[in-house]
Amino acid sequence: MHSERTPWALRLAAYGGLAFLHFPLLVIFAYAFNTEESAFSFPLQGFTLHWFSDAWARPDIFAAIVLSLKVATAATVLALALGTLAAMALSRRPFFGKNAITLLLVLPIALPGIITGISLLTAFKVADINPGLLTIIVGHATFCVVVVYNNVVARLRRMPMSHIEASMDLGADSWQTFRHIVMPGLATSLLAGGMLAFALSFDEIIVTTFTAGAEVTLPIWLLNQLGRPRDVPITNVVAMTVMLITTLPILGAWYLTRDTTDTAGGGK
Amino acid sequence: MPHAVTFDHVSRLFGQMRAVDNVSLTINEGEFFSMLGPSGSGKTTCLRLIAGFELPSSGRILIAGQDASALAPFERDVNTVFQDYALFPTMDVLNNVAYGLMVKGVGKKERLARAEEALSMVALADYGSRKPGELSGGQRQRVALARALVGRPRVLLLDEPLGALDLKLREQMQSELKNLQRKLGITFVFVTHDQSEALSMSDRVAVFAKGRIEQIATPQDLYDKPASRFVADFVGTSNVVDAPLAQSLTGQRRIFAIRPERIQLGCAGIVTAHAVRAKGVVRDIAFLGAVNRIEVELAGKAVLTALTPSFGGALPLIGSEVELAWRIDAMHWITEAA
């Protein structure tokens, strides 16, 4: 006999999987409010907000957050400009080498971060560029561009060529057509792509390790904390903050493109 | 006055394919000119060449006497009504219509007033604040028309604009388009694959086949004097009689065309000396309302179609032998290109 209801075993497995994925996050959330100082002891000792004020008072945390925000913003802006241009160039007429260029463009998202990181570092050394803010931004832009590109190219494919022709036909030059017809059509896909790019950049660690030099972004700061067990509660507070900052834009991107089917490039 | 549009030995190649093959034509100022042909015949490519979406591979295109071969679409005093209407989904109807004026720098107040006026011209005065997605197919068609006409272009291009409409609406739009064109005096270039549409609306029609022009003529001449077997077949229905049969019927070994409504059953009221007569067997009879369509098989398997008025007169039986007759001056001799 067929039933509309999902078999209980399947439901159990599904919810079990979700719990398995998210339980560690909950642990971090919970222990950010725990009164005890050192380890993850159970049960929780009591509720406190004082780790938040501690974290807020630490200049190294503040500096790391500011640096990460700077990097993410710059990489996103760079990715929006380059990704859109690349999508416009590659979405219409075929030309010699088009597939090769598309592949090269999308490659950074498939390539292990450690390869991207090492090759960028080598390239920077060869070019005699000192690692710092600029190199982190460039490193992040390599994969942020892909996210924007994927979103924009999907939208362009669904935008009828006749709209652009109609605009030109009515007397608009290329720039006016881009501004009045193409941009409004791309707006939500740019927003979605930009938010994903921002979130990706904000918690990126592997490429950053190679390109940061002496700079400490938030994820690197967190990694360094592993060696300092006395700081665990503060680390928990910061980890929670990172999660919130990166989750909100991704939720936003999902919300803005939920009635389209092309929020591409979530996979890094 | 210079011609509105001139094609001077224009070809357009897509790879090896000659979409437009050495076409020369002139379209007069204020004319309703149709480009008629089956799909893939090059008519739409010709339209896109005038609009500037395609550039000629060879030859020249003149608009109002000026060489426009290399001009961008926005540099040409020509507007297009697209097959899919191509209304901008992010703008309301009024701003869609005002778009062409906006990008040309016409002030907001004036351009909205002129857009309102254009909308009332197509009987959509109260629809300015709607989004294109909220309109029916016929209404979108009118908005596209208003948008293309609001800037008073020298030439209006229409790319099968009635194709997506149902029959009733299509007939209504046909006469509205014709009236609009007469009122505004703007040159209309109308692309269609529907021969009755081309015949009923146009001052002149160019018939396209395989990238070439088969004939340019008034609708009447196109119908009465088709220049080729293709035109005779494509424009209306026609009986095209091959040379051997023509010789046995008329004594002349030449292809000719005869329209079905010019063939009568029996030879009453026809002066024998000025008529051609043929005997055959009735194969099929269909009642079409105003007329009956009768298919008659002559000797040698050739089938002629005759249309006879459906009122009065008894119909022959299927399988019976009948005599057909038509006046010699109703026939049109076709000179076939080698």
Side-chain angles (χ1 to χ4, degrees):
Chain A
M1 223 183 91
H2 282 286
S3 163
E4 290 296 309
R5 289 180 63 87
T6 318
W8 63 269
L10 184 59
R11 289 155 146 270
L12 199 68
Y15 284 113
L18 281 175
F20 177 76
L21 285 174
H22 290 97
F23 180 70
L25 302 181
L26 285 178
V27 169
I28 288 190
F29 271 63
Y31 279 88
F33 299 97
N34 192 12
T35 45
E36 206 202 353
E37 233 178 270
S38 56
F40 291 98
S41 63
F42 195 79
L44 298 165
Q45 302 296 306
F47 180 85
T48 179
L49 288 175
H50 111 256
W51 303 121
F52 282 81
S53 62
D54 274 16
W56 184 251
R58 295 253 310 248
D60 56 333
I61 297 178
F62 190 71
I65 290 181
V66 169
L67 178 65
S68 275
L69 285 175
K70 262 191 205 166
V71 168
T73 308
T76 303
V77 169
L78 205 59
L80 284 175
L82 296 180
T84 308
L85 289 175
M88 305 250 298
L90 293 171
S91 65
R92 299 291 182 208
R93 299 159 190 269
F95 58 87
F96 178 75
K98 176 173 164 171
N99 289 337
I101 293 178
T102 309
L103 183 69
L104 285 176
L105 197 70
V106 184
L107 203 57
I109 213 158
L111 221 53
I114 199 157
I115 307 283
T116 313
I118 279 190
S119 37
L120 278 170
L121 183 62
T122 316
F124 289 141
K125 271 190 182 148
V126 169
D128 208 15
I129 300 168
N130 284 328
L133 178 64
L134 182 76
T135 54
I136 308 177
I137 292 172
V138 171
H140 286 195
T142 55
F143 53 83
C144 288
V145 165
V146 186
V147 175
V148 174
Y149 166 81
N150 278 343
N151 271 285
V152 173
V153 100
R155 181 65 55 89
L156 282 176
R157 267 193 213 118
R158 291 183 307 145
M159 187 183 286
M161 191 64 197
S162 66
H163 288 179
I164 290 159
E165 286 182 348
S167 169
M168 300 273 231
D169 185 69
L170 290 163
D173 59 29
S174 313
W175 169 245
Q176 286 173 315
T177 299
F178 179 74
R179 196 174 138 223
H180 297 297
I181 305 302
V182 179
M183 271 305 271
L186 292 182
T188 53
S189 72
L190 284 177
L191 204 56
M195 282 172 164
L196 272 173
F198 189 91
L200 282 181
S201 163
F202 195 75
D203 71 354
E204 211 287 332
I205 186 150
I206 304 173
V207 175
T208 319
T209 312
F210 286 94
T211 53
E215 301 279 352
V216 178
T217 65
L218 195 53
I220 290 187
W221 182 89
L222 281 168
L223 190 66
N224 292 342
Q225 285 303 102
L226 282 179
R228 299 196 188 107
R230 305 175 112 263
D231 275 351
V232 163
I234 292 185
T235 313
N236 286 341
V237 167
V238 176
M240 201 176 111
T241 316
V242 175
M243 267 187 265
L244 290 178
I245 293 182
T246 51
T247 309
L248 293 179
I250 289 180
L251 281 178
W254 168 80
Y255 179 78
L256 285 169
T257 53
R258 69 195 186 289
D259 42 28
T260 65
T261 50
D262 54 39
T263 314
K268 174 111 187 170
Chain B
M1 197 152 59
H3 295 293
V5 179
T6 306
F7 273 50
D8 179 15
H9 298 283
V10 171
S11 293
R12 176 69 175 107
L13 282 69
F14 295 115
Q16 288 299 302
M17 213 259 298
R18 289 185 166 269
V20 174
D21 190 1
N22 200 22
V23 163
S24 293
L25 60 83
T26 54
I27 300 171
N28 298 323
E29 202 73 47
E31 187 172 36
F32 197 121
F33 189 88
S34 288
M35 295 179 171
L36 173 68
S39 58
S41 61
K43 58 191 192 303
T44 296
T45 307
C46 276
L47 197 79
R48 295 173 59 82
L49 283 164
I50 303 175
F53 305 137
E54 305 282 351
L55 296 179
S57 307
S58 64
R60 290 191 315 151
I61 293 169
L62 283 70
I63 296 172
Q66 303 291 314
D67 191 343
S69 309
L71 292 185
F74 50 85
E75 296 169 314
R76 302 181 184 212
D77 193 8
V78 163
N79 285 155
T80 307
V81 176
F82 289 81
Q83 193 167 12
D84 65 354
Y85 313 142
L87 301 180
F88 306 131
T90 50
M91 300 175 198
D92 64 20
V93 164
L94 191 64
N95 279 300
N96 257 285
V97 176
Y99 183 80
L101 301 173
M102 180 192 71
V103 295
K104 282 176 198 140
V106 178
K108 185 165 188 169
K109 213 172 153 189
E110 187 193 338
R111 70 170 184 257
L112 293 185
R114 281 172 67 184
E116 294 268 12
E117 190 191 29
L119 277 176
S120 55
M121 180 178 75
V122 293
L124 284 178
D126 299 330
Y127 287 73
S129 58
R130 305 240 190 140
K131 282 283 171 72
E134 300 163 13
L135 302 180
S136 71
Q139 288 166 338
R140 277 181 225 180
Q141 156 82 81
R142 286 159 193 268
V143 175
L145 197 60
R147 186 178 70 174
L149 283 171
V150 70
R152 293 295 147 106
R154 184 177 285 266
V155 181
L156 183 75
L157 308 175
L158 303 109
D159 185 9
E160 308 222 13
L162 310 180
L165 306 180
D166 60 56
L167 183 66
K168 202 83 179 167
L169 205 54
R170 197 153 71 219
E171 285 172 351
Q172 185 192 338
M173 279 306 291
Q174 282 177 14
S175 67
E176 276 185 38
L177 270 180
K178 186 70 202 158
N179 288 337
L180 207 57
Q181 192 263 341
R182 242 182 248 127
K183 203 171 83 187
L184 299 174
I186 291 175
T187 308
F188 277 34
V189 181
F190 187 91
V191 161
T192 179
H193 63 263
D194 181 333
Q195 48 94 13
S196 70
E197 208 163 84
L199 291 184
S200 66
M201 298 169 78
S202 319
D203 295 319
R204 282 191 308 150
V205 181
V207 181
F208 281 78
K210 294 178 185 158
R212 290 165 178 270
I213 291 182
E214 290 277 321
Q215 187 173 8
I216 301 181
T218 63
Q220 185 77 53
D221 280 354
L222 210 59
Y223 192 77
D224 290 341
K225 297 169 190 154
S228 67
R229 176 192 290 263
F230 177 83
V231 176
D233 258 350
F234 195 73
V235 180
T237 43
S238 197
N239 298 297
V240 179
V241 177
D242 280 322
L245 181 60
Q247 185 165 37
S248 71
L249 290 172
T250 68
Q252 294 198 59
R253 199 182 170 78
R254 287 172 68 192
I255 300 169
F256 71 88
I258 177 80
R259 295 287 176 189
E261 66 274 17
R262 306 299 286 266
I263 300 179
Q264 68 173 61
L265 281 179
C267 37
I270 262 191
V271 180
T272 316
H274 299 149
V276 176
R277 293 158 75 164
K279 277 206 171 74
V281 177
V282 178
R283 283 291 170 230
D284 191 29
I285 298 177
F287 174 67
L288 302 181
V291 290
N292 286 305
R293 189 183 63 214
I294 302 170
E295 313 229 325
V296 178
E297 186 179 320
L298 306 186
K301 302 279 180 213
V303 174
L304 290 187
T305 303
L307 291 176
T308 61
S310 59
F311 55 91
L315 284 170
L317 296 172
I318 292 179
S320 65
E321 190 163 289
V322 290
E323 190 167 31
L324 302 174
W326 59 85
R327 292 166 57 95
I328 288 175
D329 55 15
M331 296 163 36
H332 177 69
W333 300 102
I334 291 173
T335 315
E336 196 119 72

PDB file of all heavy atoms in Angstrom, chain A residues 135-161:
ATOM      1  N   THR A 135      47.487  41.746  -1.679  1.00  0.00           N
ATOM      2  CA  THR A 135      47.597  40.366  -2.166  1.00  0.00           C
ATOM      3  C   THR A 135      46.441  39.502  -1.641  1.00  0.00           C
ATOM      4  O   THR A 135      45.978  38.603  -2.333  1.00  0.00           O
ATOM      5  CB  THR A 135      48.938  39.752  -1.739  1.00  0.00           C
ATOM      6  OG1 THR A 135      49.085  39.890  -0.330  1.00  0.00           O
ATOM      7  CG2 THR A 135      50.099  40.415  -2.436  1.00  0.00           C
ATOM      8  N   ILE A 136      45.988  39.780  -0.422  1.00  0.00           N
ATOM      9  CA  ILE A 136      44.820  39.026   0.072  1.00  0.00           C
ATOM     10  C   ILE A 136      43.612  39.300  -0.819  1.00  0.00           C
ATOM     11  O   ILE A 136      42.883  38.389  -1.222  1.00  0.00           O
ATOM     12  CB  ILE A 136      44.466  39.418   1.522  1.00  0.00           C
ATOM     13  CG1 ILE A 136      45.690  39.318   2.425  1.00  0.00           C
ATOM     14  CG2 ILE A 136      43.365  38.523   2.055  1.00  0.00           C
ATOM     15  CD1 ILE A 136      45.405  39.766   3.852  1.00  0.00           C
ATOM     16  N   ILE A 137      43.421  40.571  -1.134  1.00  0.00           N
ATOM     17  CA  ILE A 137      42.256  40.951  -1.947  1.00  0.00           C
ATOM     18  C   ILE A 137      42.316  40.258  -3.305  1.00  0.00           C
ATOM     19  O   ILE A 137      41.332  39.671  -3.765  1.00  0.00           O
ATOM     20  CB  ILE A 137      42.198  42.485  -2.123  1.00  0.00           C
ATOM     21  CG1 ILE A 137      41.890  43.139  -0.776  1.00  0.00           C
ATOM     22  CG2 ILE A 137      41.149  42.866  -3.152  1.00  0.00           C
ATOM     23  CD1 ILE A 137      42.004  44.649  -0.782  1.00  0.00           C
ATOM     24  N   VAL A 138      43.500  40.302  -3.928  1.00  0.00           N
ATOM     25  CA  VAL A 138      43.633  39.664  -5.242  1.00  0.00           C
ATOM     26  C   VAL A 138      43.357  38.164  -5.137  1.00  0.00           C
ATOM     27  O   VAL A 138      42.638  37.583  -5.949  1.00  0.00           O
ATOM     28  CB  VAL A 138      45.046  39.925  -5.826  1.00  0.00           C
ATOM     29  CG1 VAL A 138      45.261  39.073  -7.072  1.00  0.00           C
ATOM     30  CG2 VAL A 138      45.217  41.400  -6.153  1.00  0.00           C
ATOM     31  N   GLY A 139      43.916  37.543  -4.095  1.00  0.00           N
ATOM     32  CA  GLY A 139      43.699  36.107  -3.900  1.00  0.00           C
ATOM     33  C   GLY A 139      42.217  35.780  -3.776  1.00  0.00           C
ATOM     34  O   GLY A 139      41.719  34.846  -4.403  1.00  0.00           O
ATOM     35  N   HIS A 140      41.497  36.557  -2.988  1.00  0.00           N
ATOM     36  CA  HIS A 140      40.067  36.308  -2.808  1.00  0.00           C
ATOM     37  C   HIS A 140      39.284  36.572  -4.093  1.00  0.00           C
ATOM     38  O   HIS A 140      38.334  35.865  -4.411  1.00  0.00           O
ATOM     39  CB  HIS A 140      39.532  37.176  -1.673  1.00  0.00           C
ATOM     40  CG  HIS A 140      39.940  36.693  -0.323  1.00  0.00           C
ATOM     41  ND1 HIS A 140      39.357  37.122   0.830  1.00  0.00           N
ATOM     42  CD2 HIS A 140      40.882  35.791   0.052  1.00  0.00           C
ATOM     43  CE1 HIS A 140      39.920  36.531   1.868  1.00  0.00           C
ATOM     44  NE2 HIS A 140      40.861  35.713   1.416  1.00  0.00           N
ATOM     45  N   ALA A 141      39.701  37.597  -4.808  1.00  0.00           N
ATOM     46  CA  ALA A 141      38.978  37.957  -6.032  1.00  0.00           C
ATOM     47  C   ALA A 141      38.987  36.803  -7.039  1.00  0.00           C
ATOM     48  O   ALA A 141      38.039  36.632  -7.802  1.00  0.00           O
ATOM     49  CB  ALA A 141      39.572  39.215  -6.646  1.00  0.00           C
ATOM     50  N   THR A 142      40.046  35.973  -7.011  1.00  0.00           N
ATOM     51  CA  THR A 142      40.115  34.894  -8.012  1.00  0.00           C
ATOM     52  C   THR A 142      38.894  33.991  -7.953  1.00  0.00           C
ATOM     53  O   THR A 142      38.374  33.582  -8.987  1.00  0.00           O
ATOM     54  CB  THR A 142      41.368  34.012  -7.806  1.00  0.00           C
ATOM     55  OG1 THR A 142      41.371  33.531  -6.474  1.00  0.00           O
ATOM     56  CG2 THR A 142      42.639  34.760  -8.108  1.00  0.00           C
ATOM     57  N   PHE A 143      38.427  33.679  -6.737  1.00  0.00           N
ATOM     58  CA  PHE A 143      37.229  32.815  -6.701  1.00  0.00           C
ATOM     59  C   PHE A 143      35.934  33.603  -6.570  1.00  0.00           C
ATOM     60  O   PHE A 143      34.875  33.133  -6.945  1.00  0.00           O
ATOM     61  CB  PHE A 143      37.348  31.739  -5.603  1.00  0.00           C
ATOM     62  CG  PHE A 143      37.676  32.260  -4.243  1.00  0.00           C
ATOM     63  CD1 PHE A 143      36.667  32.764  -3.427  1.00  0.00           C
ATOM     64  CD2 PHE A 143      38.978  32.258  -3.778  1.00  0.00           C
ATOM     65  CE1 PHE A 143      36.971  33.238  -2.169  1.00  0.00           C
ATOM     66  CE2 PHE A 143      39.289  32.743  -2.505  1.00  0.00           C
ATOM     67  CZ  PHE A 143      38.275  33.235  -1.703  1.00  0.00           C
ATOM     68  N   CYS A 144      36.012  34.843  -6.048  1.00  0.00           N
ATOM     69  CA  CYS A 144      34.792  35.666  -5.972  1.00  0.00           C
ATOM     70  C   CYS A 144      34.271  36.016  -7.369  1.00  0.00           C
ATOM     71  O   CYS A 144      33.064  36.054  -7.606  1.00  0.00           O
ATOM     72  CB  CYS A 144      35.065  36.949  -5.189  1.00  0.00           C
ATOM     73  SG  CYS A 144      35.275  36.645  -3.430  1.00  0.00           S
ATOM     74  N   VAL A 145      35.194  36.235  -8.294  1.00  0.00           N
ATOM     75  CA  VAL A 145      34.796  36.562  -9.669  1.00  0.00           C
ATOM     76  C   VAL A 145      33.917  35.450 -10.237  1.00  0.00           C
ATOM     77  O   VAL A 145      32.908  35.701 -10.892  1.00  0.00           O
ATOM     78  CB  VAL A 145      36.050  36.765 -10.560  1.00  0.00           C
ATOM     79  CG1 VAL A 145      35.673  36.730 -12.030  1.00  0.00           C
ATOM     80  CG2 VAL A 145      36.722  38.076 -10.223  1.00  0.00           C
ATOM     81  N   VAL A 146      34.274  34.208  -9.945  1.00  0.00           N
ATOM     82  CA  VAL A 146      33.531  33.076 -10.490  1.00  0.00           C
ATOM     83  C   VAL A 146      32.072  33.097 -10.032  1.00  0.00           C
ATOM     84  O   VAL A 146      31.154  32.852 -10.803  1.00  0.00           O
ATOM     85  CB  VAL A 146      34.181  31.747 -10.051  1.00  0.00           C
ATOM     86  CG1 VAL A 146      33.485  30.597 -10.731  1.00  0.00           C
ATOM     87  CG2 VAL A 146      35.650  31.757 -10.368  1.00  0.00           C
ATOM     88  N   VAL A 147      31.899  33.401  -8.740  1.00  0.00           N
ATOM     89  CA  VAL A 147      30.550  33.406  -8.178  1.00  0.00           C
ATOM     90  C   VAL A 147      29.682  34.449  -8.883  1.00  0.00           C
ATOM     91  O   VAL A 147      28.550  34.180  -9.287  1.00  0.00           O
ATOM     92  CB  VAL A 147      30.633  33.683  -6.665  1.00  0.00           C
ATOM     93  CG1 VAL A 147      29.240  33.804  -6.097  1.00  0.00           C
ATOM     94  CG2 VAL A 147      31.393  32.584  -5.973  1.00  0.00           C
ATOM     95  N   VAL A 148      30.235  35.641  -9.034  1.00  0.00           N
ATOM     96  CA  VAL A 148      29.491  36.706  -9.707  1.00  0.00           C
ATOM     97  C   VAL A 148      29.244  36.320 -11.171  1.00  0.00           C
ATOM     98  O   VAL A 148      28.129  36.425 -11.687  1.00  0.00           O
ATOM     99  CB  VAL A 148      30.252  38.046  -9.622  1.00  0.00           C
ATOM    100  CG1 VAL A 148      29.549  39.106 -10.445  1.00  0.00           C
ATOM    101  CG2 VAL A 148      30.373  38.482  -8.177  1.00  0.00           C
ATOM    102  N   TYR A 149      30.303  35.836 -11.804  1.00  0.00           N
ATOM    103  CA  TYR A 149      30.202  35.448 -13.217  1.00  0.00           C
ATOM    104  C   TYR A 149      29.072  34.431 -13.429  1.00  0.00           C
ATOM    105  O   TYR A 149      28.235  34.591 -14.311  1.00  0.00           O
ATOM    106  CB  TYR A 149      31.536  34.872 -13.693  1.00  0.00           C
ATOM    107  CG  TYR A 149      31.470  34.148 -15.018  1.00  0.00           C
ATOM    108  CD1 TYR A 149      31.499  34.846 -16.212  1.00  0.00           C
ATOM    109  CD2 TYR A 149      31.323  32.760 -15.062  1.00  0.00           C
ATOM    110  CE1 TYR A 149      31.410  34.191 -17.418  1.00  0.00           C
ATOM    111  CE2 TYR A 149      31.234  32.100 -16.263  1.00  0.00           C
ATOM    112  CZ  TYR A 149      31.281  32.807 -17.443  1.00  0.00           C
ATOM    113  OH  TYR A 149      31.178  32.162 -18.639  1.00  0.00           O
ATOM    114  N   ASN A 150      29.049  33.397 -12.598  1.00  0.00           N
ATOM    115  CA  ASN A 150      28.025  32.354 -12.757  1.00  0.00           C
ATOM    116  C   ASN A 150      26.614  32.913 -12.632  1.00  0.00           C
ATOM    117  O   ASN A 150      25.718  32.571 -13.403  1.00  0.00           O
ATOM    118  CB  ASN A 150      28.230  31.245 -11.714  1.00  0.00           C
ATOM    119  CG  ASN A 150      29.290  30.260 -12.153  1.00  0.00           C
ATOM    120  OD1 ASN A 150      29.642  30.219 -13.325  1.00  0.00           O
ATOM    121  ND2 ASN A 150      29.807  29.495 -11.224  1.00  0.00           N
ATOM    122  N   ASN A 151      26.414  33.776 -11.656  1.00  0.00           N
ATOM    123  CA  ASN A 151      25.089  34.364 -11.461  1.00  0.00           C
ATOM    124  C   ASN A 151      24.690  35.242 -12.639  1.00  0.00           C
ATOM    125  O   ASN A 151      23.568  35.152 -13.145  1.00  0.00           O
ATOM    126  CB  ASN A 151      25.077  35.204 -10.183  1.00  0.00           C
ATOM    127  CG  ASN A 151      24.693  34.374  -8.981  1.00  0.00           C
ATOM    128  OD1 ASN A 151      23.534  34.047  -8.806  1.00  0.00           O
ATOM    129  ND2 ASN A 151      25.673  33.997  -8.200  1.00  0.00           N
ATOM    130  N   VAL A 152      25.612  36.078 -13.076  1.00  0.00           N
ATOM    131  CA  VAL A 152      25.283  37.037 -14.130  1.00  0.00           C
ATOM    132  C   VAL A 152      25.081  36.325 -15.466  1.00  0.00           C
ATOM    133  O   VAL A 152      24.162  36.628 -16.224  1.00  0.00           O
ATOM    134  CB  VAL A 152      26.377  38.115 -14.246  1.00  0.00           C
ATOM    135  CG1 VAL A 152      26.143  39.009 -15.443  1.00  0.00           C
ATOM    136  CG2 VAL A 152      26.417  38.948 -12.975  1.00  0.00           C
ATOM    137  N   VAL A 153      25.918  35.329 -15.738  1.00  0.00           N
ATOM    138  CA  VAL A 153      25.818  34.652 -17.023  1.00  0.00           C
ATOM    139  C   VAL A 153      24.491  33.900 -17.129  1.00  0.00           C
ATOM    140  O   VAL A 153      23.844  33.876 -18.181  1.00  0.00           O
ATOM    141  CB  VAL A 153      27.042  33.731 -17.233  1.00  0.00           C
ATOM    142  CG1 VAL A 153      26.736  32.291 -16.936  1.00  0.00           C
ATOM    143  CG2 VAL A 153      27.593  33.881 -18.645  1.00  0.00           C
ATOM    144  N   ALA A 154      24.050  33.345 -15.997  1.00  0.00           N
ATOM    145  CA  ALA A 154      22.761  32.642 -16.010  1.00  0.00           C
ATOM    146  C   ALA A 154      21.617  33.617 -16.297  1.00  0.00           C
ATOM    147  O   ALA A 154      20.694  33.313 -17.052  1.00  0.00           O
ATOM    148  CB  ALA A 154      22.535  31.940 -14.677  1.00  0.00           C
ATOM    149  N   ARG A 155      21.708  34.810 -15.723  1.00  0.00           N
ATOM    150  CA  ARG A 155      20.654  35.792 -15.943  1.00  0.00           C
ATOM    151  C   ARG A 155      20.680  36.309 -17.383  1.00  0.00           C
ATOM    152  O   ARG A 155      19.639  36.470 -18.020  1.00  0.00           O
ATOM    153  CB  ARG A 155      20.828  36.955 -14.956  1.00  0.00           C
ATOM    154  CG  ARG A 155      19.781  38.029 -15.051  1.00  0.00           C
ATOM    155  CD  ARG A 155      18.398  37.517 -14.680  1.00  0.00           C
ATOM    156  NE  ARG A 155      18.371  36.902 -13.368  1.00  0.00           N
ATOM    157  CZ  ARG A 155      18.135  37.563 -12.247  1.00  0.00           C
ATOM    158  NH1 ARG A 155      17.902  38.844 -12.284  1.00  0.00           N
ATOM    159  NH2 ARG A 155      18.126  36.937 -11.102  1.00  0.00           N
ATOM    160  N   LEU A 156      21.887  36.555 -17.893  1.00  0.00           N
ATOM    161  CA  LEU A 156      22.004  37.069 -19.263  1.00  0.00           C
ATOM    162  C   LEU A 156      21.424  36.079 -20.261  1.00  0.00           C
ATOM    163  O   LEU A 156      20.817  36.472 -21.259  1.00  0.00           O
ATOM    164  CB  LEU A 156      23.471  37.345 -19.608  1.00  0.00           C
ATOM    165  CG  LEU A 156      24.060  38.636 -19.048  1.00  0.00           C
ATOM    166  CD1 LEU A 156      25.534  38.720 -19.391  1.00  0.00           C
ATOM    167  CD2 LEU A 156      23.331  39.852 -19.596  1.00  0.00           C
ATOM    168  N   ARG A 157      21.607  34.787 -19.987  1.00  0.00           N
ATOM    169  CA  ARG A 157      21.094  33.782 -20.915  1.00  0.00           C
ATOM    170  C   ARG A 157      19.589  33.845 -21.026  1.00  0.00           C
ATOM    171  O   ARG A 157      19.015  33.514 -22.046  1.00  0.00           O
ATOM    172  CB  ARG A 157      21.504  32.382 -20.450  1.00  0.00           C
ATOM    173  CG  ARG A 157      22.787  31.958 -21.099  1.00  0.00           C
ATOM    174  CD  ARG A 157      23.054  30.478 -20.911  1.00  0.00           C
ATOM    175  NE  ARG A 157      24.496  30.334 -20.822  1.00  0.00           N
ATOM    176  CZ  ARG A 157      25.128  29.876 -19.763  1.00  0.00           C
ATOM    177  NH1 ARG A 157      24.448  29.470 -18.709  1.00  0.00           N
ATOM    178  NH2 ARG A 157      26.426  29.817 -19.757  1.00  0.00           N
ATOM    179  N   ARG A 158      18.935  34.274 -19.939  1.00  0.00           N
ATOM    180  CA  ARG A 158      17.476  34.323 -19.987  1.00  0.00           C
ATOM    181  C   ARG A 158      16.963  35.682 -20.453  1.00  0.00           C
ATOM    182  O   ARG A 158      15.762  35.868 -20.606  1.00  0.00           O
ATOM    183  CB  ARG A 158      16.899  34.007 -18.609  1.00  0.00           C
ATOM    184  CG  ARG A 158      17.119  32.546 -18.219  1.00  0.00           C
ATOM    185  CD  ARG A 158      16.473  32.273 -16.902  1.00  0.00           C
ATOM    186  NE  ARG A 158      16.937  33.255 -15.928  1.00  0.00           N
ATOM    187  CZ  ARG A 158      16.183  33.743 -14.956  1.00  0.00           C
ATOM    188  NH1 ARG A 158      14.939  33.352 -14.840  1.00  0.00           N
ATOM    189  NH2 ARG A 158      16.668  34.610 -14.115  1.00  0.00           N
ATOM    190  N   MET A 159      17.868  36.636 -20.647  1.00  0.00           N
ATOM    191  CA  MET A 159      17.434  37.962 -21.103  1.00  0.00           C
ATOM    192  C   MET A 159      17.379  37.950 -22.627  1.00  0.00           C
ATOM    193  O   MET A 159      18.389  37.745 -23.277  1.00  0.00           O
ATOM    194  CB  MET A 159      18.440  39.003 -20.602  1.00  0.00           C
ATOM    195  CG  MET A 159      18.035  40.433 -20.861  1.00  0.00           C
ATOM    196  SD  MET A 159      19.332  41.575 -20.303  1.00  0.00           S
ATOM    197  CE  MET A 159      19.123  41.503 -18.540  1.00  0.00           C
ATOM    198  N   PRO A 160      16.179  38.131 -23.225  1.00  0.00           N
ATOM    199  CA  PRO A 160      16.095  38.009 -24.677  1.00  0.00           C
ATOM    200  C   PRO A 160      16.956  39.047 -25.389  1.00  0.00           C
ATOM    201  O   PRO A 160      17.004  40.197 -24.978  1.00  0.00           O
ATOM    202  CB  PRO A 160      14.617  38.269 -24.980  1.00  0.00           C
ATOM    203  CG  PRO A 160      13.913  38.183 -23.683  1.00  0.00           C
ATOM    204  CD  PRO A 160      14.908  38.481 -22.610  1.00  0.00           C
ATOM    205  N   MET A 161      17.620  38.608 -26.437  1.00  0.00           N
ATOM    206  CA  MET A 161      18.439  39.507 -27.242  1.00  0.00           C
ATOM    207  C   MET A 161      17.587  40.653 -27.787  1.00  0.00           C
ATOM    208  O   MET A 161      18.079  41.761 -27.983  1.00  0.00           O
ATOM    209  CB  MET A 161      19.062  38.704 -28.394  1.00  0.00           C
ATOM    210  CG  MET A 161      20.139  39.437 -29.168  1.00  0.00           C
ATOM    211  SD  MET A 161      21.580  39.803 -28.137  1.00  0.00           S
ATOM    212  CE  MET A 161      22.352  41.059 -29.143  1.00  0.00           C
TER     213      MET A 161
END
